[in-house]
PDB file of all heavy atoms in Angstrom:
ATOM      1  N   VAL A 117       3.125   1.700  -6.850  1.00  0.00           N
ATOM      2  CA  VAL A 117       2.693   0.994  -8.099  1.00  0.00           C
ATOM      3  C   VAL A 117       2.615   1.997  -9.219  1.00  0.00           C
ATOM      4  O   VAL A 117       3.103   1.760 -10.339  1.00  0.00           O
ATOM      5  CB  VAL A 117       1.365   0.290  -7.903  1.00  0.00           C
ATOM      6  CG1 VAL A 117       0.780  -0.268  -9.221  1.00  0.00           C
ATOM      7  CG2 VAL A 117       1.450  -0.882  -6.901  1.00  0.00           C
ATOM      8  N   LEU A 118       2.018   3.151  -8.986  1.00  0.00           N
ATOM      9  CA  LEU A 118       1.906   4.212 -10.053  1.00  0.00           C
ATOM     10  C   LEU A 118       3.248   4.725 -10.478  1.00  0.00           C
ATOM     11  O   LEU A 118       3.500   4.906 -11.665  1.00  0.00           O
ATOM     12  CB  LEU A 118       1.017   5.341  -9.543  1.00  0.00           C
ATOM     13  CG  LEU A 118      -0.436   5.303  -9.942  1.00  0.00           C
ATOM     14  CD1 LEU A 118      -1.167   4.011  -9.582  1.00  0.00           C
ATOM     15  CD2 LEU A 118      -1.223   6.491  -9.358  1.00  0.00           C
ATOM     16  N   LEU A 119       4.136   4.968  -9.496  1.00  0.00           N
ATOM     17  CA  LEU A 119       5.419   5.545  -9.811  1.00  0.00           C
ATOM     18  C   LEU A 119       6.285   4.495 -10.640  1.00  0.00           C
ATOM     19  O   LEU A 119       6.903   4.834 -11.612  1.00  0.00           O
ATOM     20  CB  LEU A 119       6.151   5.956  -8.560  1.00  0.00           C
ATOM     21  CG  LEU A 119       7.401   6.843  -8.777  1.00  0.00           C
ATOM     22  CD1 LEU A 119       7.050   8.127  -9.442  1.00  0.00           C
ATOM     23  CD2 LEU A 119       8.051   7.162  -7.399  1.00  0.00           C
ATOM     24  N   ASP A 120       6.238   3.257 -10.152  1.00  0.00           N
ATOM     25  CA  ASP A 120       6.968   2.205 -10.861  1.00  0.00           C
ATOM     26  C   ASP A 120       6.427   2.031 -12.255  1.00  0.00           C
ATOM     27  O   ASP A 120       7.167   1.750 -13.208  1.00  0.00           O
ATOM     28  CB  ASP A 120       6.859   0.829 -10.154  1.00  0.00           C
ATOM     29  CG  ASP A 120       7.675   0.812  -8.822  1.00  0.00           C
ATOM     30  OD1 ASP A 120       8.433   1.759  -8.616  1.00  0.00           O
ATOM     31  OD2 ASP A 120       7.491  -0.124  -8.087  1.00  0.00           O
ATOM     32  N   HIS A 121       5.113   2.253 -12.384  1.00  0.00           N
ATOM     33  CA  HIS A 121       4.516   2.085 -13.753  1.00  0.00           C
ATOM     34  C   HIS A 121       5.052   3.202 -14.667  1.00  0.00           C
ATOM     35  O   HIS A 121       5.378   2.847 -15.861  1.00  0.00           O
ATOM     36  CB  HIS A 121       2.988   2.153 -13.618  1.00  0.00           C
ATOM     37  CG  HIS A 121       2.305   1.951 -14.918  1.00  0.00           C
ATOM     38  ND1 HIS A 121       2.350   0.749 -15.635  1.00  0.00           N
ATOM     39  CD2 HIS A 121       1.579   2.810 -15.725  1.00  0.00           C
ATOM     40  CE1 HIS A 121       1.692   0.893 -16.765  1.00  0.00           C
ATOM     41  NE2 HIS A 121       1.229   2.079 -16.841  1.00  0.00           N
ATOM     42  N   ALA A 122       5.096   4.380 -14.191  1.00  0.00           N
ATOM     43  CA  ALA A 122       5.649   5.457 -15.066  1.00  0.00           C
ATOM     44  C   ALA A 122       7.061   5.172 -15.454  1.00  0.00           C
ATOM     45  O   ALA A 122       7.481   5.348 -16.589  1.00  0.00           O
ATOM     46  CB  ALA A 122       5.593   6.820 -14.232  1.00  0.00           C
ATOM     47  N   ALA A 123       7.852   4.602 -14.499  1.00  0.00           N
ATOM     48  CA  ALA A 123       9.261   4.255 -14.837  1.00  0.00           C
ATOM     49  C   ALA A 123       9.268   3.107 -15.872  1.00  0.00           C
ATOM     50  O   ALA A 123      10.090   3.145 -16.799  1.00  0.00           O
ATOM     51  CB  ALA A 123       9.991   3.792 -13.585  1.00  0.00           C
ATOM     52  N   SER A 124       8.307   2.195 -15.748  1.00  0.00           N
ATOM     53  CA  SER A 124       8.310   1.053 -16.706  1.00  0.00           C
ATOM     54  C   SER A 124       7.971   1.550 -18.117  1.00  0.00           C
ATOM     55  O   SER A 124       8.281   0.890 -19.074  1.00  0.00           O
ATOM     56  CB  SER A 124       7.307  -0.013 -16.246  1.00  0.00           C
ATOM     57  OG  SER A 124       5.967   0.439 -16.515  1.00  0.00           O
ATOM     58  N   LEU A 125       7.309   2.699 -18.194  1.00  0.00           N
ATOM     59  CA  LEU A 125       6.993   3.266 -19.528  1.00  0.00           C
ATOM     60  C   LEU A 125       8.123   4.099 -20.081  1.00  0.00           C
ATOM     61  O   LEU A 125       8.071   4.649 -21.163  1.00  0.00           O
ATOM     62  CB  LEU A 125       5.698   4.089 -19.435  1.00  0.00           C
ATOM     63  CG  LEU A 125       4.427   3.324 -19.075  1.00  0.00           C
ATOM     64  CD1 LEU A 125       3.282   4.218 -18.841  1.00  0.00           C
ATOM     65  CD2 LEU A 125       4.065   2.356 -20.257  1.00  0.00           C
ATOM     66  N   GLY A 126       9.170   4.348 -19.234  1.00  0.00           N
ATOM     67  CA  GLY A 126      10.357   5.034 -19.725  1.00  0.00           C
ATOM     68  C   GLY A 126      10.653   6.345 -19.029  1.00  0.00           C
ATOM     69  O   GLY A 126      11.663   7.013 -19.314  1.00  0.00           O
ATOM     70  N   ALA A 127       9.810   6.736 -18.034  1.00  0.00           N
ATOM     71  CA  ALA A 127      10.112   7.929 -17.247  1.00  0.00           C
ATOM     72  C   ALA A 127      11.339   7.657 -16.356  1.00  0.00           C
ATOM     73  O   ALA A 127      11.438   6.597 -15.802  1.00  0.00           O
ATOM     74  CB  ALA A 127       8.843   8.344 -16.475  1.00  0.00           C
TER      75      ALA A 127
END
Side-chain angles (χ1 to χ4, degrees):
V117 171
L118 261 54
L119 193 60
D120 288 351
H121 182 66
S124 75
L125 294 171

